[in-house]
């Protein structure tokens, strides 16, 4: 079970890095981070609005009016009829605003936020049209930060391999799930999930609430993408999840885990192991895990290709482009990875618990332990001591107390 925890945890780490690479956190950036200080991934966003002009737009109405005019010439038999059609037009005022949206993802070490390295960003200007002169306002959203210290500690920056391993010699290690190493991994998964939810709720929610919802031109573009399309990107593309607690009945032969012959598509590889213990024979070898991780990269690239073909480019000037679609897709997928890892650790723990219950024959409770102690004492102490319990009562008095004194 410890080997299975190590294997799935390393697969989760590599899957995280695969997604972060698409956000700009590639091998060069990883190696440039100062490991002696806490590392932080930061998401910043802001919007600025400026009033441009007021425009009057004529909107034809469905109503129309006809007027007929008959004229008679010199000859009474010659008559001409003229029909004049009048259509109603509604004059609507539109207010045009220049909106600048800026968002960026950066990484920095320690507290040097000013020296942060921007790894992905987009700045664009567009025009929003409202039917009210109420100002849209400028907003600097609070930054969303994610600590990368634990993730970087699990990566060998020289070999670019994942090196997570539970210390079974540690006194605090109780089970494959209840130990310091896995607890820190679960804490990172929870923080990652919260970071992605923050981007979706804060940034995308702000775009929907304060910009896209107020954009109300008379003549709309039917091909405009909405927040609904953006949040539905994850359902359009199926991305493989490589965090799987899989085991096999027949283990690999000796030497299969040394140089598995599968070229890794990830910037972080799985660290090979020469452990030939029988306990690890049921685990998937590194060749199979590498294939799973390569499938993860392949489906990620396929999803990005589909987004680039169907969404406007980031230079199009619209509020929503392929960059926002990729950001939404990766945010949703990272949440799925973190949730899958949490469920995997719980599954491994429950699997060990079920095996232990099957070996004992039942689930033990404190009452079972109490019965065992009484049974053991009955055999050890013969005759068995009787419970010391005596009722002390006086007529028409509350029950009293009994005390034992030692007389010298």
């Amino acid at each position: 079970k410890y080997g299975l925890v190590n294997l799935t945890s390393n697969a989760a780490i590599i899957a995280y890095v695969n997604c972060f690479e698409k956000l700009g956190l590639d091998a060069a950036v990883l190696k440039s981070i100062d490991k002696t200080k806490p590392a932080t991934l930061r998401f910043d966003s802001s919007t600025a609005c400026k009033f441009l002009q007021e425009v009057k737009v004529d909107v034809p109405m469905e109503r129309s009016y006809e007027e007929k005019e008959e004229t008679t010439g010199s000859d009474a038999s010659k008559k001409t009829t003229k029909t004049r059609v009048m259509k109603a037009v509604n004059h609507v005022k539109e207010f045009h605003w220049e909106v600048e949206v800026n968002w960026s993802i950066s990484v920095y070490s320690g507290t040097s936020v000013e020296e942060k390295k921007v790894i992905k960003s987009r700045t664009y200007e567009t025009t929003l049209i409202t039917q009210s002169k109420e100002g849209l306002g400028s907003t600097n959203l609070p930054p969303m930060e994610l600590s990368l210290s634990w993730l970087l500690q699990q990566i060998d920056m020289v070999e670019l391999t994942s090196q997570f391993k539970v210390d079974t010699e540690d006194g605090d290690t109780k089970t494959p799930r209840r130990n310091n190493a896995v607890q820190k991994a679960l804490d990172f998964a929870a923080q990652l999930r919260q970071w992605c939810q923050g981007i979706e709720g804060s940034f995308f929610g702000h775009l929907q609430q304060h910009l896209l919802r107020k954009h109300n031109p008379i003549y709309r573009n039917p091909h405009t993408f909405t927040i609904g399309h953006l949040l539905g990107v994850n359902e359009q593309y199926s991305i493989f999840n490589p965090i799987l607690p899989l085991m096999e009945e027949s283990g690999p032969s000796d030497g299969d885990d040394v140089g598995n012959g599968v070229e890794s598509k990830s910037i972080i590889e799985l660290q090979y192991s020469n452990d030939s213990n029988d306990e690890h024979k049921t685990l998937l070898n590194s060749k199979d895990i590498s294939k799973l991780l390569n499938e993860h990269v392949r489906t990620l690239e396929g999803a990005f290709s589909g987004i680039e073909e169907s969404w406007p480019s980031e230079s199009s000037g619209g509020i929503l482009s392929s960059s926002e679609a990729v950001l939404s897709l990766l945010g949703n997928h990272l949440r799925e990875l973190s949730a899958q890892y949490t469920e995997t650790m719980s599954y491994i723990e429950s699997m060990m618990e079920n095996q232990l219950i099957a070996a004992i024959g039942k689930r033990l409770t404190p009452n079972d332990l109490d019965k065992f102690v009484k049974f053991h004492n009955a055999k050890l102490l013969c005759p068995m001591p009787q419970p010391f319990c005596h009722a002390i009562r006086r007529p028409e008095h509350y029950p009293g107390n009994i005390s034992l004194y030692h007389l010298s």
Side-chain angles (χ1 to χ4, degrees):
K1 302 302 184 295
Y2 285 100
L4 185 59
V5 166
N6 294 335
L7 201 61
T8 52
S9 297
N10 283 302
I13 292 170
I14 297 175
Y16 294 154
V17 175
N18 288 341
C19 295
F20 286 141
E21 181 189 9
K22 304 303 180 182
L23 294 176
L25 194 65
D26 53 17
V29 177
L30 285 175
K31 291 183 177 181
S32 65
I33 298 176
D34 187 359
K35 311 304 183 300
T36 61
K37 301 178 181 178
T40 304
L41 190 67
R42 180 185 176 103
F43 179 85
D44 294 288
S45 59
S46 63
T47 58
C49 301
K50 182 177 66 174
F51 179 72
L52 293 179
Q53 59 181 343
E54 177 182 326
V55 178
K56 291 184 179 180
V57 180
D58 294 336
V59 182
M61 301 181 66
E62 296 181 358
R63 296 181 179 180
S64 61
Y65 304 91
E66 294 185 358
E67 290 185 358
K68 293 183 178 180
E69 180 182 354
E70 294 184 354
T71 57
T72 303
S74 56
D75 188 352
S77 61
K78 293 182 180 180
K79 296 182 179 180
T80 58
T81 302
K82 294 181 180 181
T83 303
R84 183 171 58 182
V85 179
M86 295 180 293
K87 293 184 177 181
V89 177
N90 187 19
H91 301 286
V92 180
K93 292 182 179 180
E94 287 186 340
F95 301 92
H96 292 228
W97 304 81
E98 181 184 79
V99 179
E100 180 182 274
V101 180
N102 175 43
W103 62 265
S104 64
I105 299 177
S106 58
V107 61
Y108 67 91
S109 298
T111 58
S112 304
V113 182
E114 297 79 9
E115 301 176 2
K116 62 184 180 182
K117 181 179 180 62
V118 178
I119 56 178
K120 188 176 183 63
S121 64
R122 184 178 183 231
T123 301
Y124 54 93
E125 294 181 355
T126 188
T127 301
L128 292 187
I129 300 175
T130 65
Q131 296 187 22
S132 171
K133 201 173 182 180
E134 180 182 356
L136 298 179
S138 301
T139 306
N140 287 323
L141 297 177
M144 308 298 300
E145 294 190 339
L146 172 67
S147 175
L148 296 177
S149 299
W150 175 86
L151 183 66
L152 298 179
Q153 292 171 1
Q154 312 309 313
I155 301 175
D156 183 353
M157 292 301 172
V158 178
E159 301 293 335
L160 287 180
T161 57
S162 179
Q163 54 184 7
F164 176 91
K165 187 175 183 180
V166 176
D167 185 6
T168 56
E169 302 297 330
D170 189 357
D172 294 331
T173 300
K174 308 301 181 183
T175 66
R177 161 64 179 82
R178 296 168 56 199
N179 56 79
N180 293 331
V182 172
Q183 187 58 49
K184 291 179 181 179
L186 292 174
D187 292 342
F188 177 80
Q191 295 170 10
L192 176 61
R193 187 161 54 249
Q194 184 178 5
W195 185 72
C196 296
Q197 291 173 347
I199 294 177
E200 179 179 325
S202 177
F203 177 60
F204 293 138
H206 174 76
L207 293 183
Q208 169 68 6
Q209 186 70 24
H210 298 278
L211 297 182
L212 294 176
R213 181 175 294 181
K214 294 183 179 181
H215 180 56
N216 187 26
I218 299 300
Y219 301 104
R220 285 182 171 272
N221 183 359
H223 304 291
T224 302
F225 286 92
T226 64
I227 289 292
H229 295 100
L230 188 70
L231 300 180
V233 167
N234 194 49
E235 300 177 358
Q236 299 177 8
Y237 303 98
S238 177
I239 302 179
F240 180 72
N241 195 325
I243 308 175
L244 301 172
L246 298 178
M247 305 178 74
E248 58 183 357
E249 295 181 357
S250 57
S253 59
D254 292 343
D256 282 355
D257 219 24
V258 181
N260 57 31
V262 177
E263 183 179 357
S264 175
K265 297 180 180 179
S266 307
I267 60 175
I268 303 297
E269 298 184 7
L270 193 67
Q271 195 172 50
Y272 301 142
S273 173
N274 296 329
D275 195 348
S276 59
N277 293 338
D278 292 337
E279 298 178 355
H280 293 168
K281 291 296 184 180
T282 57
L283 300 179
L284 297 181
N285 57 27
S286 59
K287 180 178 180 180
D288 295 327
I289 299 299
S290 297
K291 290 180 179 179
L292 295 178
L293 293 170
N294 286 347
E295 178 65 14
H296 179 237
V297 175
R298 187 192 68 80
T299 53
L300 274 176
E301 294 176 348
F304 293 159
S305 299
I307 289 176
E308 291 178 356
E309 293 177 359
S310 58
W311 282 76
S313 63
E314 62 178 18
S315 59
S316 61
I319 293 181
L320 300 180
S321 69
S322 58
S323 295
E324 284 73 24
V326 167
L327 182 63
S328 176
L329 177 68
L330 289 177
N332 287 326
H333 184 57
L334 282 170
R335 288 161 55 185
E336 293 177 354
L337 290 176
S338 60
Q340 176 73 9
Y341 178 74
T342 302
E343 294 175 1
T344 297
M345 294 299 103
S346 299
Y347 169 76
I348 296 175
E349 185 81 355
S350 65
M351 182 169 55
M352 186 185 68
E353 180 183 0
N354 293 335
Q355 291 177 345
L356 184 60
I357 293 174
I360 296 176
K362 61 177 294 186
R363 183 185 294 272
L364 297 180
T365 63
N367 291 333
D368 296 318
L369 181 60
D370 184 57
K371 292 179 181 179
F372 170 77
V373 172
K374 289 182 178 180
F375 175 78
H376 178 73
N377 289 340
K379 297 181 64 177
L380 180 64
L381 304 175
C382 186
M384 181 180 180
Q386 297 297 323
F388 183 79
C389 182
H390 300 278
I392 304 172
R393 298 180 182 275
R394 295 175 59 191
E396 300 180 358
H397 286 75
Y398 191 83
N401 298 325
I402 185 171
S403 300
L404 299 178
Y405 295 95
H406 177 70
L407 299 178
S408 58

